[in-house]
Amino acid sequence: MSERSGGWSVCPIPISRYPRVVMAHGGGGRIMARLISDMFRAAFDNAELNQGHDGAVLDVSAHAASGGRIAMTTDSYVVRPLRFPGSTIGAMAVNGTANDLAMCCAEPRWLTTGFILEEGLAMETLWEMVCSMADAAALAGVHIVTGDTKVVEHGRGDGMYINTAGVGLVRPGADCRAQRVEPGDAVILSGDVGRHGMAVMTVREGLEFEAEITSDCAPVWPTVRAMLEAGIDIHCLRDATRGGLASAVVEIAEASGTSIHLTESAIEVQPQVAAACELLGFDPIYVANEGRFVAFVPSRQADAALEAMADTLPGARPSVIGRVEASDPGMVALRSVIGGERIVDMLSGEQLPRIC
Amino acid sequence: MRFVDEFRDPQAADALVKAIRRTVTRPWTLMEVCGGQTHAIVRFGIDQLLPQSLTLVHGPGCPVCVTPIEQIDRAITLARRSDVILCSYGDMLRVPGSGTDLLAERAAGADVRIVYSPMDALTIAQKTPDRQVVFFAVGFETTAPPNAMAVFQAQAMGVPNFSVLVSHVLVPPAIGAVLDDPDCLVNGFLAAGHVCTIMGCAEYEPIARERGVPIVVTGFEPVDILAGILRCVEMLERGENGVANQYARMVRADGNPGARRLCAQVFQTVDRKWRGLGSIPLSGWDLRPEYSDYDAAIRFGLQEMTADEPVECRSGLVLQGRMKPSDCPMFGSVCTPERPLGATMVSSEGACAAYFRYRRRTGVSE
């Protein structure tokens, strides 16, 4: 990343020596040790990582005294291309996993990272991705405390894949799960939808629009924390990543045995995202996001929740997009902009561009 | 978004709905010909806003749905060849052939690529001269001009490793086939606006006059569709037939003369088999003999391949407007988007898929 904030901008692995990743970088010998110490440890620098063990030892004693629940999650990142407008695979690997923890009302604290590198990946590219991970970790307030590196032969990967696992500290008193969603709850969406998926798509497919579409990739814990600190009784949170807003809401309806009624006009979609979706025949409510979530809260607290969420995520305008009802358990219905109603279901597979 | 938002305007839609309610005094059945219109009708819940005596039935205008099964089998045969890169629009990939589909073939190692234009496929052919690049050229008159251009350019530039697997279909003969059915209930048609953008309106005049039906050229946004419905029921109530153009911001009477010329130069009209409907005389386009070098079916010797459709699939009745998808005994049980019996359950424009996605459960009235 050219506009790095961390101060180191030069790749620490001398170009003259290894301009590209070679099999030995995953071989367990000195070359790998050098990669870990000069690149990963230098960038991720934190006390837990610097213990230098096979694993990280984490101190949760203070948290244990106040309830002591921890949340854990893992996710793998295989996005292609590695960089796209607004974000990179590195930032995604940090925010995506940290956001999964936030969806458990847990403060994200520690991440692991597993790199699967393709032989021949430019060392500068690896450094750029590692730096964007370090930046995202600093912004999200998480430490990358341990990791693993494997190298696969040229042609067996898309440059690099990243797996991250995360541990977070669940806020005392928080009880956030689909089963708590109940009739009368308000459905709040944390911002506009469809940007991440379309940002990746436009770069991957070489489509150009007048206004650039940038990924919404960002940490959402500050927004969740603000809601908790405002005393909102959050019944459930779900991030609208793969499968988009629609799939997230359908999952909750099915798991909670309620029906969810959405209002299409309340769901914000940026004009350039809407235009790109129209062109390809995509429905923006099925397009992936990396910094948006839905919250289910008691309707009497909806205004307070919106107030708490405001200004926690730059550029995002949270809004109430629907309500939970008892009839037709498991169903999601959407009132269209012209007043007709339709069922919202999960897609059977991925969205495919339409013929005409 | 300009040119979209104003045609999704709730007030404008409401005014049209009220006008339709005022106009309709008798039961009428209208067929929207194009799958894109079907999709919009179900997605926006347009049919729920109409008076009960007005019935919309969904026509055969989904290009993915009507492509015959043997043509899918030909594409799959080509995709399996190690020397072939098969390029296609995205939604053809899930359509089941006799045994498998192109997505499954891709997973098994076939080089199947989604492109957004046949010109992209031509570019791939130029960049990979050691491979055969085949574009799966399906669709109505709307998608024909770019396919004609790709073949024209391939010949002009001399790209010997490019060819097209052609299965073009034409709207007017399909409307004729629907009307020929003795059980036909359709009183009026909403013609496919984008097809008419290319072809103009003239070829619908004889059908409208001879069969005594109104045909209204209609767009794809809710306000367009409601305006088309209003125009059609006004004509029906007055006992008028003929062609009306309710999509004048896109459609000129003579269509796009340049595109028509190019299509006439590259394609000739032939009998065509339609999935679900059978063979309809003079209902398709194929390459003219002077472009046969670029015909993938000839180049790879696939012309004799035939296949039968699964007998339990009723998509033919659905495509003729004689059965609602949800009335099919297979709908949602044996036949789902994950395990489709026919293409109408596959394409996002297919009537069965639209019903499955938007109307499956009981909570929403039909």
Side-chain angles (χ1 to χ4, degrees), chain A residues 123-182:
Chain A
M123 201 56 83
E124 286 286 350
T125 304
L126 177 59
W127 177 238
E128 181 190 335
M129 296 305 137
V130 167
C131 288
S132 67
M133 287 182 83
D135 285 343
L139 191 64
V142 296
H143 285 175
I144 298 171
V145 295
T146 187
D148 178 57
T149 309
K150 295 283 189 296
V151 178
V152 296
E153 287 162 23
H154 183 68
R156 289 182 58 206
D158 289 316
M160 68 188 297
Y161 303 132
I162 305 174
N163 170 275
T164 52
V167 172
L169 307 178
V170 180
R171 278 293 157 115
D175 183 14
C176 169
R177 55 200 161 84
Q179 292 73 22
R180 286 199 69 213
V181 171
E182 58 187 29

Side-chain angles (χ1 to χ4, degrees), chain A residues 59-71 105-107 109-110 168-172:
Chain A
D59 183 1
V60 294
S61 53
H63 180 65
S66 62
R69 289 176 303 160
I70 62 172
C105 288
E107 178 183 358
R109 292 291 296 275
W110 301 287
L169 307 178
V170 180
R171 278 293 157 115

Side-chain angles (χ1 to χ4, degrees), chain A residues 3-355:
Chain A
E3 68 275 27
R4 265 199 50 70
S5 56
W8 60 82
S9 57
V10 179
C11 177
I13 304 288
I15 295 279
S16 56
R17 244 179 116 191
Y18 291 108
R20 293 184 178 278
V21 169
V22 297
M23 294 304 289
H25 281 120
R30 277 206 188 279
I31 292 176
M32 186 175 98
R34 184 93 191 267
L35 180 73
I36 292 168
S37 66
D38 292 2
M39 187 177 279
F40 301 146
R41 199 168 283 159
F44 300 148
D45 183 39
N46 57 67
E48 296 92 339
L49 177 65
N50 293 338
Q51 292 163 353
H53 294 314
D54 274 354
V57 178
L58 311 174
D59 183 1
V60 294
S61 53
H63 180 65
S66 62
R69 289 176 303 160
I70 62 172
M72 191 175 178
T73 187
T74 184
D75 211 337
S76 298
Y77 300 86
V78 298
V79 66
R80 179 175 55 87
L82 301 177
R83 63 179 84 79
F84 42 88
S87 196
T88 67
I89 191 174
M92 257 182 88
V94 171
N95 286 326
T97 297
N99 289 349
D100 281 345
L101 294 169
M103 294 300 97
C104 308
C105 288
E107 178 183 358
R109 292 291 296 275
W110 301 287
L111 297 187
T112 72
T113 179
F115 293 108
I116 296 174
L117 309 177
E118 184 183 0
E119 180 187 27
L121 175 70
M123 201 56 83
E124 286 286 350
T125 304
L126 177 59
W127 177 238
E128 181 190 335
M129 296 305 137
V130 167
C131 288
S132 67
M133 287 182 83
D135 285 343
L139 191 64
V142 296
H143 285 175
I144 298 171
V145 295
T146 187
D148 178 57
T149 309
K150 295 283 189 296
V151 178
V152 296
E153 287 162 23
H154 183 68
R156 289 182 58 206
D158 289 316
M160 68 188 297
Y161 303 132
I162 305 174
N163 170 275
T164 52
V167 172
L169 307 178
V170 180
R171 278 293 157 115
D175 183 14
C176 169
R177 55 200 161 84
Q179 292 73 22
R180 286 199 69 213
V181 171
E182 58 187 29
D185 280 0
V187 185
I188 295 177
L189 174 64
S190 69
D192 64 309
V193 295
R195 275 165 45 195
H196 174 76
M198 295 317 292
V200 172
M201 185 98 192
T202 50
V203 180
R204 190 183 296 172
E205 306 298 342
L207 305 172
E208 285 179 19
F209 296 94
E210 280 178 20
E212 187 177 58
I213 298 171
T214 56
S215 170
D216 63 339
C217 184
V220 301
W221 170 246
T223 310
V224 176
R225 183 179 58 208
M227 294 170 78
L228 291 166
E229 287 174 357
I232 308 297
D233 178 20
I234 300 174
H235 288 172
C236 187
L237 300 169
R238 185 63 53 100
D239 55 1
T241 50
R242 261 177 313 171
L245 170 67
S247 304
V249 174
V250 172
E251 279 174 24
I252 299 289
E254 289 179 353
S256 64
T258 63
S259 66
I260 298 173
H261 295 253
L262 304 177
T263 304
E264 189 172 33
S265 56
I267 299 168
E268 185 189 352
V269 181
Q270 280 190 351
Q272 62 267 40
V273 174
C277 286
E278 282 296 324
L279 191 71
L280 296 170
F282 285 5
D283 188 339
I285 66 170
Y286 290 95
V287 176
N289 310 281
E290 283 295 332
R292 299 290 179 262
F293 64 91
V294 278
F296 294 79
V297 304
S299 56
R300 63 188 153 71
Q301 290 191 318
D303 289 342
L306 289 177
E307 196 176 321
M309 295 166 82
D311 304 325
T312 54
L313 200 54
R317 283 188 296 274
S319 61
V320 175
I321 61 161
R323 65 187 189 282
V324 178
E325 292 184 0
S327 60
D328 301 306
M331 186 195 78
V332 177
L334 180 137
R335 185 154 297 278
S336 78
V337 287
I338 64 155
E341 200 170 64
R342 73 178 209 238
I343 295 284
V344 175
D345 197 4
M346 280 189 213
L347 293 179
S348 52
E350 57 182 334
Q351 291 201 99
L352 295 172
R354 265 164 55 188
I355 186 166

Side-chain angles (χ1 to χ4, degrees), chain B residues 7-352:
Chain B
F7 296 100
R8 294 180 184 174
D9 178 57
Q11 278 87 38
D14 187 53
L16 286 163
V17 168
K18 288 190 173 122
I20 292 167
R21 287 179 185 278
R22 278 196 306 272
T23 306
V24 172
T25 64
R26 280 167 284 171
W28 298 113
T29 297
L30 309 187
M31 172 178 277
E32 83 280 358
V33 170
C34 176
Q37 292 165 335
T38 304
H39 186 81
I41 285 165
V42 200
R43 176 177 171 194
F44 290 98
I46 293 169
D47 49 342
Q48 295 166 31
L49 306 173
L50 300 176
Q52 286 209 328
S53 57
L54 188 55
T55 306
L56 293 181
V57 296
H58 317 304
C62 163
V64 173
C65 304
V66 299
T67 300
I69 194 162
E70 58 218 35
Q71 200 72 350
I72 311 286
D73 287 350
R74 288 186 183 115
I76 289 167
T77 304
L78 288 173
R80 283 179 177 164
R81 291 177 61 120
S82 59
D83 58 338
V84 166
I85 300 171
L86 184 81
C87 298
S88 171
Y89 293 124
D91 48 359
M92 287 305 295
L93 268 56
R94 255 201 296 262
V95 181
S98 298
T100 168
D101 59 50
L102 287 167
L103 273 184
E105 292 302 318
R106 189 166 74 173
D111 195 345
V112 178
R113 302 188 191 178
I114 294 175
V115 294
Y116 298 94
S117 158
M119 301 306 286
D120 294 345
L122 187 59
T123 305
I124 292 171
Q126 289 173 298
K127 286 183 178 164
T128 47
D130 56 329
R131 309 269 308 272
Q132 289 286 331
V133 176
V134 181
F135 181 71
F136 197 2
V138 300
F140 284 89
E141 295 93 324
T142 332
T143 50
N147 293 340
M149 179 58 85
V151 171
F152 178 82
Q153 292 274 16
Q155 190 183 62
M157 296 188 298
V159 187
N161 60 323
F162 179 78
S163 59
V164 288
L165 185 61
V166 182
S167 191
H168 275 302
V169 280
L170 305 173
V171 168
I175 291 182
V178 169
L179 287 167
D180 282 343
D181 190 306
D183 296 329
C184 175
L185 300 169
V186 179
N187 304 113
F189 291 87
L190 307 182
H194 289 156
V195 167
C196 297
T197 306
I198 305 297
M199 300 302 291
C201 307
E203 57 186 348
Y204 296 89
E205 292 284 355
I207 304 175
R209 301 284 172 221
E210 287 162 22
R211 312 297 187 108
V213 291
I215 299 178
V216 180
V217 177
T218 303
F220 299 84
E221 295 298 331
V223 168
D224 289 320
I225 292 171
L226 286 166
I229 291 170
L230 176 61
R231 188 80 166 263
C232 198
V233 292
E234 282 172 350
M235 292 172 78
L236 285 167
E237 291 282 345
R238 288 199 296 261
E240 293 174 11
N241 59 44
V243 178
N245 182 3
Q246 192 59 47
Y247 198 36
R249 73 176 189 280
M250 286 296 288
V251 176
R252 296 188 308 200
D254 60 345
N256 180 334
R260 285 170 56 197
R261 252 194 319 274
L262 182 67
C263 288
Q265 181 181 337
V266 174
F267 296 123
Q268 60 183 355
T269 307
V270 295
D271 298 347
R272 173 73 71 206
K273 199 168 163 184
W274 296 52
R275 189 166 189 161
L277 299 177
S279 186
I280 302 176
L282 301 176
S283 68
W285 277 344
D286 234 330
L287 290 175
R288 287 188 175 280
E290 45 278 39
Y291 291 96
S292 61
D293 285 352
Y294 295 90
D295 188 328
I298 295 175
R299 184 177 296 187
F300 298 97
L302 302 171
Q303 289 156 292
E304 304 308 318
M305 260 181 94
T306 58
D308 292 321
E309 294 161 28
V311 286
E312 63 270 41
C313 179
R314 316 283 176 92
S315 63
L317 296 177
V318 172
L319 290 168
Q320 294 169 75
R322 288 166 54 196
M323 181 188 268
K324 288 257 181 195
S326 46
D327 294 337
C328 174
M330 305 296 157
F331 177 81
S333 54
V334 175
C335 180
T336 65
E338 279 102 44
R339 295 181 65 84
L341 283 177
T344 46
M345 188 53 104
V346 177
S347 165
S348 57
E349 292 184 19
C352 298

